[in-house]
Amino acid sequence: MINEAIGEKKLAMGTLSSFFYFFFFFVFFINAACCGGKSHLQQTPKKHVPFFIFGDSFLDAGNNNYINTSTLDQANFWPYGLTYFKFPTGRFSDGRLLSDFIAKRAKSPLIPPFLQPGFRQYYHGVNFASFGAGALAETFQGFAMDLKTQLNNYYKVESWFRHKLGNDEGKATISRAVYLFSIGSNDYMSPFLTNSTILNNYNDSTYFGMVIGNLTTVINEIYRGGGRKFAFVNLPELGCLPGMRIIKSGNNGSCLEEARRLASLHNKALSKLLFELEKRFKGFKYSLFDFNTNLR
Ligand SMILES: *[C@@H]1O[C@H](CO)[C@@H](O)[C@H](O)[C@H]1NC(C)=O
Ligand SMILES: *[C@@H]1O[C@H](CO)[C@@H](O)[C@H](O)[C@H]1NC(C)=O
Ligand SMILES: *[C@@H]1O[C@H](CO)[C@@H](O)[C@H](O)[C@H]1NC(C)=O
Ligand SMILES: *[C@@H]1O[C@H](CO)[C@@H](O)[C@H](O)[C@H]1NC(C)=O
Ligand SMILES: *[C@@H]1O[C@H](CO)[C@@H](O)[C@H](O)[C@H]1NC(C)=O
């Protein structure tokens, strides 16, 4: 059921072309972020603009291949990969992910998963995303690398840059980097998909407040380390995914109102948060991709 719900999201993303708006905007962002010209991007390692990717199945490029999880939470089998890579890479897609298109437009190679064995050259960035991941530790616990684990992996890469390039250049590189996030969907779907009782303990505003609070912590941490350029994908209408529509028998296949409400509250809070962070944090820049207006 987990797969069904999330598989549908993937399908929606792959087939609708309006999300291309996102990369055009975003690539401009990457180029503008760098050194004023494309040619600089590939010249020397120190002029690279690393691309760091955090989040869930929308952006997992294969990390879950390397964790002890269930097959439901992996995409390393046929026909995943059918239309582009011609083999299952671990992406939850038949083709490429949003982050792959962005990398391509930025004239950067594809960004490998952090856990890929032997991958240690992080100049172009690295992908920390994990299918099933949420901002809360309880979300599909034991089956995904949650956002906090992803942040801990990022710290390792951050110190790799300082070690490789020296403190100043390492920090300068980090401040040119672009950080992309897709997180939250699983926090709001897992309580319904796993029979968890977590929603009995918290009302809606407390619950999405915890999710947004954890995301805020991660953004703060990255900013404190020098990160400046952030991009976010917000949440689709989670309650209307097929896997969510069938949860309540007797609901006749209509959208699951509780999940829909949570996603909507989350999206409002996220855009408010980013607006405030931009005012509060010097040099903080962001781009927010709105699923619900762009995928229609
Ligand atoms: C992987 O998970 C399974 C099921 O929880 C467990 O039995 C097994 O010991 C785990 N393996 C490792 C290497 O952690
Ligand atoms: C996020 O929330 C969980 C509770 O689910 C907590 O254990 C964790 O430490 C929080 N912080 C971060 C940064 O993930
Ligand atoms: C949730 O509970 C129902 C009813 O007890 C059960 O049929 C179903 O298998 C459970 N689902 C999961 C994912 O545990
Ligand atoms: C939700 O719970 C919190 C803490 O228990 C409480 O302060 C708040 O008023 C509640 N909000 C609503 C809308 O019930
Ligand atoms: C579901 O459909 C049945 C039969 O058409 C109807 O009686 C019932 O009220 C519907 N339930 C909901 C929740 O819409």
Side-chain angles (χ1 to χ4, degrees):
M1 213 197 272
I2 295 168
N3 244 18
E4 224 173 283
I6 297 170
E8 177 64 19
K9 286 195 302 186
K10 280 286 148 212
L11 196 68
M13 287 204 54
T15 51
L16 292 163
S17 59
S18 43
F19 78 109
F20 277 82
Y21 281 121
F22 182 66
F23 342 127
F24 284 117
F25 179 70
F26 196 77
V27 164
F28 167 73
F29 182 30
I30 292 180
N31 285 338
C34 179
C35 0
K38 285 178 197 158
S39 58
H40 288 268
L41 278 175
Q42 306 247 321
Q43 271 173 5
T44 57
K46 64 179 181 181
K47 289 301 175 200
H48 283 144
V49 178
F51 184 20
F52 297 120
I53 300 156
F54 296 82
D56 50 29
S57 60
F58 285 111
L59 300 175
D60 184 350
N63 280 310
N64 277 25
N65 288 351
Y66 309 108
I67 62 172
N68 187 15
T69 186
S70 72
T71 24
L72 266 179
D73 302 296
Q74 294 179 319
N76 52 2
F77 48 88
W78 194 253
Y80 284 116
L82 174 71
T83 61
Y84 184 78
F85 295 100
K86 310 296 179 196
F87 71 99
T89 60
R91 285 168 176 76
F92 290 81
S93 167
D94 62 340
R96 283 170 289 179
L97 306 176
L98 198 106
S99 44
D100 295 325
F101 287 99
I102 294 170
K104 183 175 176 233
R105 292 283 304 190
K107 303 205 176 346
S108 160
L110 291 176
I111 309 301
F114 177 75
L115 296 182
Q116 183 177 294
F119 169 54
R120 291 286 179 280
Q121 297 294 314
Y122 304 124
Y123 292 117
H124 289 286
V126 48
N127 183 321
F128 304 102
S130 169
F131 175 100
L136 301 180
E138 292 84 354
T139 296
F140 296 129
Q141 195 158 31
F143 296 96
M145 289 191 292
D146 67 6
L147 192 57
K148 195 178 196 174
T149 307
Q150 296 182 30
L151 179 68
N152 287 333
N153 289 336
Y154 168 73
Y155 288 145
K156 293 175 196 157
V157 172
E158 203 188 7
S159 54
W160 179 90
F161 271 99
R162 280 199 303 271
H163 176 75
K164 280 282 175 189
L165 301 174
N167 219 26
D168 292 350
E169 193 48 45
K171 200 152 185 202
T173 304
I174 288 293
S175 68
R176 282 196 299 271
V178 173
Y179 299 82
L180 174 65
F181 288 84
S182 163
I183 199 82
S185 293
N186 292 309
D187 296 304
Y188 303 113
M189 293 198 297
S190 66
F192 302 102
L193 294 169
T194 61
N195 291 343
S196 136
T197 55
I198 193 165
L199 289 178
N200 300 342
N201 303 333
Y202 304 103
N203 61 32
D204 282 1
S205 52
T206 309
Y207 192 71
F208 85 79
M210 283 160 44
V211 174
I212 293 284
N214 270 9
L215 176 58
T216 310
T217 304
V218 171
I219 299 170
N220 284 350
E221 283 297 296
I222 292 173
Y223 179 85
R224 233 162 42 98
R228 291 295 179 268
K229 300 172 172 69
F230 294 82
F232 301 84
V233 178
N234 73 2
L235 311 185
E237 290 236 12
L238 298 176
C240 299
L241 299 173
M244 301 294 279
R245 286 172 188 256
I246 61 170
I247 284 176
K248 273 195 184 159
S249 55
N251 216 17
N252 295 345
S254 56
C255 299
L256 187 69
E257 200 44 50
E258 295 93 320
R260 208 178 167 176
R261 200 172 56 231
L262 283 165
S264 155
L265 287 168
H266 175 98
N267 284 347
K268 284 195 195 105
L270 177 63
S271 78
K272 184 155 171 264
L273 170 71
L274 296 174
F275 184 74
E276 277 163 9
L277 290 180
E278 191 179 44
K279 280 197 290 189
R280 189 142 44 95
F281 288 171
K282 193 167 174 290
F284 179 92
K285 291 199 177 93
Y286 74 94
S287 159
L288 174 60
F289 176 74
D290 180 29
F291 249 114
N292 298 303
T293 53
N294 289 293
L295 286 189
R296 279 173 205 281

